[in-house]
Amino acid sequence: MKESGFAVAGSSGEVVIADAMVQPLRSAPLPDWRQKLSEIDWVPDLGEDIGSPRWFRGLATLTLLTVGALSLLPDFAPVYGAQSPMPAGTQLEEVRAQMIMPIAYGSDTGRRMAANDSVRALAASPERPRIELTATLGRGDSFARVLQRAGVGSGDVDRVLGLVSGATRLTDIEPGTTLEIVLGRRTSKNAARPLESLDFRARFDLRLAVNRTESGALSLDRQQIMVDTTPLRIRGVVGQSLYRSARAAGAPAEAVQNFLKVIASRTSLSSLAATDEFDLIVDYKRAATGEVLVGDLMFAGIDRGGKPRIQMLKWNSGDSSQWFEASGVGESRGQLSRPVNGSISSGFGMRRHPILGYKRMHAGLDFKAGYGAPIFAATNGVVAYAGRKGGYGNFVQINHGGGIATGYAHMSRIAASPGQRVRQGQIIGYVGSTGLSTGPHLHYELYRDGRPINPLSITFTQRAQLSGGDLSRFKGELARLKAVKPGAALAPLPASARRNEEPQREIDRISAVKIGSSKPAG
């Protein structure tokens, strides 16, 4: 069969022709939309290629996600429960007592019933049967004013002052002392509360308690506290730093500072060698109740090669206390100290010479002093001259720097040599009558830029010299302190001193009760 130029060989031939026409379509790859979607970068980095189609596509993705998230936000409208009738009467008052809201809005604190018809209002508020309070004695305050401010009546204040002053002076009660006061019930609102008890520590070694007896009178109870007064002695090697070495040895900071001041007044701290030893003693008190009271520095010393080089003891001389050397010579204060212990017998200026018989300039001061009395350097300096000098006799001149110099004449013996560095108060010679002199005395001159000036233009400081009984007591106190062993004040207190003392801490009281009530096992 032949039709339109194509030969058809039955039905099987038609199938072959159809397969040949579809075969090209089968061999061509079909686009997969899922694969194309997966290849698109929907979340590009918006920090890259800003303004490109890829960037705008990422911005669109972000916008769609944000809008979608906002559309899914929950509704914050209040959720209303089932309507219930408001409570009334007693139920309302009980609910109001348990409300959690400010008191100003009508709520109560805790669960309690409000007042009802069975409750009667009081005519007046009841008073506390007793008041316990604590008062502190301030600096510049008085013991009586503290009691009055606490509410103690004037009658009780006068009786307490009489009792306390019989046990200790009121001025000995230090500022900062805590007063434990208990006031009792008063008879009327216009009357002061009676004092039930007063307890305080009057001194470091004394505690006082004032209590009201059954008869209504006030009585005083003295509680003596055992106190160990062994001074705290600390010794050690100077090392690279005297301050650090002393602090590392356990010396209090204030005591170390005072120690450095005392030592610096006798010698330069830079002259101390690392192998030198420091020796300091501090006033130290320990109470049996456990308190410690650190006092002032009492002794300052420097040893070199096992031998004392500097020994300074604080000693009460007259109305004041000052530092004395082991020999009993007091410290000097001021710019220039008096060169000898004695009064002035002749001043500065023109006078008739007692030996030459005519008037001439007296370029210094004459001091009365006994033969052989020590002569001290007026201040630190270097000896410029030491030897015989014409009418001056045995003469010493010291240069102090800044154009200032001092001269000492008529010595019986010179104790300094040229070029020697001396400190204020150091002995440089002894009073005599060498040269043009009518008797033992010291002729003292003061020079400024080589020219003599009136020494009275500068105030002198008298050096104290202990003698007689004062010197003996001074030597005894020095020996007593030096006999204290280092660290002896830190040894445990004897058991007898602590046996009758009540523990001060609550945990100690509880432990003591448990120990006292415990029975041995078995």
Side-chain angles (χ1 to χ4, degrees):
M1 181 176 180
K2 190 173 183 181
E3 184 178 356
S4 301
F6 289 95
V8 178
S11 59
S12 59
E14 295 177 355
V15 171
V16 172
I17 295 172
D19 289 341
M21 296 175 65
V22 175
Q23 186 62 33
L25 298 176
R26 289 180 177 176
S27 61
L30 296 176
D32 188 359
W33 62 273
R34 289 177 299 179
Q35 182 177 359
K36 290 183 177 181
L37 289 178
S38 63
E39 292 177 354
I40 298 175
D41 187 6
W42 295 102
V43 286
D45 187 358
L46 296 181
E48 299 178 356
D49 299 334
I50 298 175
S52 63
R54 176 174 173 270
W55 183 85
F56 280 106
R57 184 171 61 249
L59 180 61
T61 304
L62 176 62
T63 304
L64 291 175
L65 292 176
T66 303
V67 172
L70 293 176
S71 64
L72 297 177
L73 282 177
D75 188 9
F76 290 99
V79 178
Y80 296 97
Q83 295 291 335
S84 60
M86 291 294 294
T90 304
Q91 186 179 7
L92 175 61
E93 295 297 336
E94 183 173 357
V95 171
R96 186 175 65 86
Q98 301 180 64
M99 289 190 299
I100 303 176
M101 62 185 300
I103 298 178
Y105 289 168
S107 71
D108 297 328
T109 56
R111 180 189 175 114
R112 64 180 178 83
M113 297 299 294
N116 51 33
D117 296 338
S118 301
V119 177
R120 292 178 300 174
L122 295 175
S125 60
E127 288 192 350
R128 297 169 59 183
R130 57 185 295 173
I131 296 179
E132 300 180 3
L133 52 91
T134 301
T136 303
L137 180 65
R139 187 176 302 275
D141 205 350
S142 68
F143 192 75
R145 286 198 297 267
V146 173
L147 296 178
Q148 291 173 354
R149 287 197 301 269
V152 182
S154 58
D156 288 344
V157 170
D158 294 338
R159 286 189 286 272
V160 169
L161 294 180
L163 293 173
V164 173
S165 59
T168 183
R169 293 186 301 178
L170 297 178
T171 55
D172 290 344
I173 304 176
E174 297 183 356
T177 300
T178 302
L179 309 178
E180 302 291 340
I181 303 174
V182 178
L183 302 177
R185 188 191 298 274
R186 56 185 175 182
T187 56
S188 64
K189 288 189 175 182
N190 297 328
R193 286 181 176 269
L195 178 66
E196 291 292 335
S197 65
L198 171 65
D199 190 2
F200 67 99
R201 192 160 187 165
R203 294 195 310 264
F204 190 70
D205 61 344
L206 178 64
R207 191 174 192 90
L208 298 179
V210 178
N211 298 297
R212 189 173 295 277
T213 61
E214 295 181 357
S215 62
L218 294 176
S219 64
L220 180 67
D221 181 19
R222 304 185 185 185
Q223 302 174 12
Q224 201 70 29
I225 302 174
M226 299 292 294
V227 175
D228 178 27
T229 59
T230 303
L232 176 62
R233 186 178 187 183
I234 301 176
R235 292 178 60 91
V237 180
V238 172
Q240 297 181 353
S241 172
L242 177 56
Y243 179 85
R244 293 182 180 177
S245 298
R247 290 288 288 141
E254 184 177 357
V256 176
Q257 292 174 0
N258 293 333
F259 178 82
L260 295 178
K261 292 179 182 178
V262 175
I263 298 302
S265 65
R266 314 312 301 167
T267 186
S268 175
L269 297 178
S270 59
S271 64
L272 300 179
T275 56
D276 292 348
E277 297 180 356
F278 63 87
D279 187 2
L280 62 90
I281 301 178
V282 181
D283 187 18
Y284 195 78
K285 296 179 181 179
R286 291 186 299 164
T289 52
E291 295 85 359
V292 174
L293 181 62
V294 180
D296 298 330
L297 181 68
M298 304 173 63
F299 174 83
I302 294 292
D303 295 347
R304 173 169 291 177
K307 297 181 179 180
R309 177 182 176 187
I310 298 175
Q311 296 186 84
M312 300 294 293
L313 176 65
K314 198 171 187 179
W315 185 256
N316 293 328
S317 178
D319 297 334
S320 61
S321 60
Q322 61 173 307
W323 290 93
F324 285 82
E325 297 178 354
S327 59
V329 178
E331 64 177 342
S332 295
R333 297 174 181 173
Q335 185 176 3
L336 294 177
S337 63
R338 188 176 290 267
V340 70
N341 292 330
S343 59
I344 298 175
S345 59
S346 182
F348 180 87
M350 296 296 297
R351 70 162 188 174
R352 182 178 295 275
H353 197 277
I355 296 179
L356 301 178
Y358 57 86
K359 284 188 176 182
R360 73 172 189 174
M361 183 64 181
H362 186 235
L365 300 177
D366 288 344
F367 288 89
K368 291 182 180 179
Y371 190 89
I375 301 174
F376 310 105
T379 187
N380 300 340
V382 178
V383 177
Y385 182 88
R388 194 80 178 185
K389 189 176 180 180
Y392 287 106
N394 291 332
F395 179 79
V396 172
Q397 179 176 332
I398 303 176
N399 292 337
H400 306 290
I404 301 297
T406 53
Y408 312 80
H410 308 312
M411 293 183 178
S412 62
R413 183 164 63 90
I414 297 175
S417 56
Q420 178 183 355
R421 185 175 296 277
V422 295
R423 52 181 170 78
Q424 186 179 36
Q426 181 176 338
I427 298 176
I428 58 174
Y430 300 90
V431 173
S433 185
T434 57
L436 293 177
S437 172
T438 59
H441 72 285
L442 171 66
H443 176 76
Y444 171 77
E445 294 183 354
L446 178 63
Y447 311 100
R448 176 178 290 149
D449 297 329
R451 300 181 61 182
I453 61 174
N454 187 358
L456 291 180
S457 61
I458 299 178
T459 303
F460 290 109
T461 300
Q462 180 70 37
R463 290 180 59 85
Q465 173 67 55
L466 299 178
S467 60
D470 291 339
L471 182 60
S472 300
R473 289 188 292 271
F474 174 82
K475 294 284 188 180
E477 178 66 10
L478 180 61
R480 183 187 72 85
L481 291 179
K482 297 204 67 176
V484 176
K485 295 182 179 180
L490 303 178
L493 289 173
S496 59
R498 305 189 304 267
R499 184 173 57 246
N500 298 326
E501 294 296 335
E502 183 182 358
Q504 296 299 304
R505 300 183 303 168
E506 186 64 23
I507 188 173
D508 296 337
R509 293 191 181 96
I510 296 175
S511 301
V513 171
K514 289 183 178 179
I515 294 174
S517 60
S518 62
K519 297 181 180 181

